[in-house]
Amino acid sequence: MITTSLPLPLQSPGASHSLTVHRFGRPGARPQVYIQAALHADEIPGMLCAVHLRERLAAIETEGALRGEIVLVPVANPFGLGQTVLGHAIGRFALGDGSNFNRDFPDLEPGTAERVRDRLGRDPAQNVALVRAAMAEELAAWPAETPVAVLKKTLVGLALGADLVLDLHCDAEGAMHLYTLPTSAGVFAPLGAWLGSKATLVAEVSGGDPFDEVFSRPWVSLATRFPDVPLPLAAHAVTVELRGQADVDHALAKADAAAIIAFLSHAGALAGTPPTLPGQEGTIARLDQSETLTAPHAGIVVFRCAAGDMIRAGDPVVDIVDPLTGAISTVLATSSGVLFARNSTRFATPGKRLGKIAGDGSRRSGKLLGL
Ligand SMILES: [Zn+2]
């Protein structure tokens, strides 16, 4: 294991931050896998999982059983990790401007297409190398003027060129679930099975430019743009939602790390045969058909269903109780699927998002991710 520390821009004189990067295996070995935790800095389950991953990968490397190269960033957002307001950690949004740390990453595809337009040939491997180089040039040209933008650019630079990218997050309260592109769902199905994922939410474009889509989306778009040249999908990325924010537990983190190690073995990054796949796999659901339950008015939030429950259209999911009159409004599901996430606050304002169902409702368009 080689550990490096990348300095980040000073946010104020004397206040320095850095990004710690652990590298395992021979540089340049394939498959190359990039794993980061806690880009939303108040999502701690991935951080503990990364601690267990680091131990396991170091031991595997010592045994000489590493075939690929693994890059692990256990704390992807040192800026966010330092943000607290009156004792509460604020790690999802930058306090400086309110921006979400996992939104507005660059779309490298249009510029990459221009760079490779007249240079793609008949050799798929050469085309992949050409596109990877062009994407790196596009990233280098991406302006990053604020410390947070530099952080984003640095993280993308670390993961760019990887065959597989795993971004470890969690929901407020949640069952294990994944987000990825439809074309990558099959690649990550074994990961989901080992993790015990209840649902994989897929979208061609989620609308928020999250971290994972930087790497996978350009390959799909380029293959569509240049249908006459052989251009394989050379990068697949997934956002792994490790249940809820309070699900920080040694046993869970150890099991999640073991599941990721099994997937790395399955992907050919480790020597030996991977463990047997569990029989059960979570459902694959379209993100644009997922249902967000909202509060019809202010009141006390009392859930009737747990995260991970299978819901049918018409089922009562959550009560909103008026604290002055005792009147209850029950929010019913309008679609069927897994209740994969719940809000963790127990008092709602009108319109507040209460929970999410990997449903089968009518398709939405626009920005499909929450704030
Ligand atoms: Zn997150």
Side-chain angles (χ1 to χ4, degrees):
M1 179 177 77
I2 295 173
T3 300
T4 50
S5 180
L6 306 178
L8 294 168
L10 299 184
Q11 282 202 314
S12 56
S16 63
H17 289 90
S18 62
L19 207 54
T20 297
V21 184
H22 304 306
R23 294 176 183 277
F24 307 85
R26 184 173 53 80
R30 296 277 171 184
Q32 188 188 105
V33 186
Y34 175 84
I35 306 170
Q36 73 176 20
L39 176 59
H40 284 144
D42 51 1
E43 298 176 3
I44 309 305
M47 213 186 279
L48 187 60
C49 178
V51 169
H52 290 279
L53 273 177
R54 186 178 72 127
E55 286 173 10
R56 290 286 305 270
L57 289 168
I60 290 166
E61 187 176 43
T62 304
E63 290 165 15
L66 208 51
R67 282 190 185 147
E69 183 188 10
I70 318 288
V71 178
L72 176 65
V73 177
V75 178
N77 185 358
F79 295 137
L81 197 58
Q83 294 186 157
T84 56
V85 175
L86 302 176
H88 292 279
I90 307 287
R92 185 175 182 84
F93 303 101
L95 283 178
D97 60 7
S99 61
N100 186 321
F101 285 114
N102 192 24
R103 298 290 184 274
D104 303 318
F105 277 88
D107 178 4
L108 302 176
E109 195 271 341
T112 297
E114 288 311 306
R115 289 176 191 273
V116 302
R117 177 173 297 283
D118 301 318
R119 299 163 63 202
L120 296 168
R122 304 309 317 165
D123 182 347
Q126 233 169 40
N127 289 341
V128 167
L130 204 62
V131 168
R132 281 189 176 137
M135 285 175 78
E137 289 167 12
E138 272 303 294
L139 179 65
W142 188 54
E145 289 163 350
T146 65
V148 172
V150 172
L151 169 68
K152 288 179 172 177
K153 187 169 181 171
T154 306
L155 293 171
V156 172
L158 289 166
L160 204 61
D163 301 277
L164 297 164
V165 175
L166 278 64
D167 192 13
L168 307 184
H169 287 248
C170 69
D171 218 298
E173 294 179 356
M176 180 76 73
H177 60 283
L178 312 178
Y179 291 94
T180 193
L181 301 191
T183 41
S184 298
V187 172
F188 294 113
L191 174 67
W194 274 306
L195 285 168
S197 169
K198 294 282 189 179
T200 297
L201 286 303
V202 298
E204 289 82 5
V205 182
S206 68
D209 289 317
F211 181 76
D212 62 346
E213 291 182 20
V214 175
F215 312 98
S216 45
R217 230 174 54 202
W219 296 96
V220 179
S221 303
L222 288 167
T224 307
R225 196 190 284 260
F226 304 116
D228 299 329
V229 296
L231 191 59
L233 306 181
H236 296 278
V238 64
T239 296
V240 180
E241 301 281 346
L242 298 167
R243 309 176 191 84
Q245 281 175 305
D247 294 320
V248 180
D249 178 281
H250 279 307
L252 287 177
K254 207 169 173 180
D256 293 343
I260 292 172
I261 294 286
F263 177 68
L264 294 179
S265 177
H266 169 84
L270 312 182
T273 38
T276 314
L277 267 172
Q280 285 202 328
E281 285 185 20
T283 54
I284 294 178
R286 288 198 56 87
L287 181 60
D288 59 10
Q289 288 181 286
S290 66
E291 179 180 359
T292 300
L293 303 168
T294 55
H297 55 75
I300 303 160
V301 176
V302 184
F303 281 103
R304 292 176 171 226
C305 303
D309 281 358
M310 272 299 298
I311 308 292
R312 298 203 174 283
D315 282 354
V317 180
V318 53
D319 290 334
I320 304 297
V321 183
D322 185 321
L324 302 180
T325 65
I328 296 176
S329 302
T330 299
V331 180
L332 308 179
T334 63
S335 64
S336 302
V338 179
L339 178 69
F340 64 91
R342 305 193 317 187
N343 203 309
S344 57
T345 56
R346 292 297 181 263
F347 193 85
T349 47
K352 185 168 183 64
R353 292 161 171 253
L354 302 170
K356 293 178 273 189
I357 298 172
D360 54 1
S362 53
R363 291 173 68 166
R364 296 176 288 132
S365 58
K367 298 198 172 188
L368 302 174
L369 298 170
L371 288 176

